[in-house]
Amino acid sequence: MTTDPVPLLPRGTRLHQDRVRDTWVLLVPERALLLDEIGTAILQEVDGRSSLAAISCRLAERYGAPEPDVASDVREFLDGLVGQRLVDYQ
Amino acid sequence: MTNRPSPPIAMLAELTHRCPLSCSYCSNPLELTDRTRELTTETWIDVLGQAASLGVLQLHLSGGEPASRRDLEVLVKAARDVGLYVNLITSGIGLTTARLDALEAAGLDHLQLSLQATTADKADWIGGYKGGFARKLVLAEEVRQRGIPLTVNAVMHRHTIDDVGAAIDFAATLGARRIEVACVQFYGWALANRDALLPSRIQVTQAKDTVAKARRAYAGRITIDFVPPDYYADYPKACMGGWGSTGINVTPDGTVLPCHAAATIPGLVFDRVTEKPLSAIWHDGSAFQAFRGHEWMQEPCRNCARRDQDHGGCRCQAMALAGDAAATDPVCRHAPSRPAIDEILAQQVAVSPSFVYRSNKREKTSSVNIAAR
């Protein structure tokens, strides 16, 4: 695996706008993960083409935050999902 | 209760009680619903729409064997059209290549495949269906090749828990991202067969050890959810995440239950989707209100620090073993009825009795033809 992998939502994992609860959720096998604003922003950038660095760069720009901080948040959040096999790195 | 309950997250739709298998631990009730009383396609489609509007995110299509319904593909499509995440809980029997094509086209999100055992002899004996395991393997390979997201559900009990390592290997070979190794919970048919199904304490300890090793070996490759039998626990499970809090069940004839075994509690009145809107049933139905909050609790639950953690455990188990649905789950070490569980554990027999297989007539039995522990 490269040091700057491209994250991908595998088949069976879907981002869903929950209009009843007014939030975004990640629908995965047998569970629904309620997402906060940061989690939603990160996963909306996961398109199967952008690397972690590219995603972090875009989010840092959008939120006016230091890129190293954003990169570390993105990495930690997605690593957690990869560990549960809910996101793939390629 | 004055607080309006949060919307349910998951719906278990028991489309039918029909099933080619007759497992002795089936979670269906002892009185099975006949095909003629099943909801129509149109009613199910309406119910799925109501569920999504109510806030349901996850739909579990179950049975019986849901593939016994010819309109399964239509229902999957209807569920996806209203945004539900569609999980098919199946034995795999009856799912042909053509039907898998149709299910994929309809938008099926995920498939949960039951695993009765890891060898044909044992699996067919447990499922009461000769040739079932071979058919399951064909289907499983087809699912693997198509890349349909898969969870293997390996049912653990006295006769299978020693094979837990093999079951995990089996799931990994199939490319499953997840395996559930859940021990049989004792309701319905499983309660009737408890002496034949309850594993020993030594078996449970060994299985925990095997699962811990497998988790290390398969880290990052397969998620292993292990549910040991609650009879050996000190505290009860948070059954259904709390009564009427996260899950809603609809039975083949449209009866709406807070959990699949709720009908074993006498005195509860259940509404039907053919008579009332799902939303009204969820929010105000008397069966759903019965055990929400804390007012129904007795001591030691009422003032227990864990009351919002385990919600007093399981109401159906309290009914079955303590004779009172509002009692503390007898599994709890603080429960007045805990001795009932200890007595059951103390009286385990050396040789397993025969299974009473699930059937409509409740008379079909078979002698144990696998060396029992």
Side-chain angles (χ1 to χ4, degrees), chain B residues 8-87:
Chain B
I9 288 173
M11 171 184 274
L12 178 73
E14 292 178 350
L15 298 180
T16 179
H17 281 160
R18 288 174 282 144
C19 185
L21 303 187
S22 51
C23 306
S24 59
Y25 46 75
C26 181
S27 62
N28 286 163
L30 298 176
E31 296 294 329
L32 297 168
T33 297
D34 189 73
R35 176 182 201 156
T36 55
R37 289 173 53 213
E38 290 178 7
L39 294 182
T40 62
T41 308
E42 292 69 31
T43 305
W44 270 119
I45 290 173
D46 179 59
V47 169
L48 297 174
Q50 289 188 56
S53 302
L54 179 57
V56 169
L57 297 168
Q58 287 266 348
L59 175 68
H60 305 292
L61 295 173
S62 179
E65 171 51 59
S68 303
R69 291 268 311 208
R70 303 310 303 174
D71 57 358
L72 178 62
E73 297 83 344
V74 175
L75 299 179
V76 169
K77 169 129 189 357
R80 274 304 300 262
D81 285 348
V82 294
L84 295 169
Y85 186 97
V86 186
N87 174 29

Side-chain angles (χ1 to χ4, degrees), chain A residues 8 20 29-30 36 42 65 70 83 89:
Chain A
L8 170 77
V20 173
E30 325 232 359
D36 61 15
I42 295 172
V70 174
Y89 283 153

Side-chain angles (χ1 to χ4, degrees), chain A residues 9-57:
Chain A
L9 291 185
R11 187 175 167 187
T13 301
R14 297 200 265 127
L15 201 54
H16 173 78
Q17 188 174 15
D18 182 345
R19 295 179 195 282
V20 173
R21 295 172 187 81
D22 193 23
T23 183
W24 285 79
V25 294
L26 188 64
L27 297 178
V28 305
E30 325 232 359
R31 279 193 299 158
L33 309 180
L34 300 184
L35 299 169
D36 61 15
E37 207 178 322
I38 297 170
T40 304
I42 295 172
L43 286 174
Q44 282 174 337
E45 296 292 333
V46 171
D47 56 10
R49 294 185 301 276
S50 309
S51 70
L52 291 183
I55 290 171
S56 304
C57 179

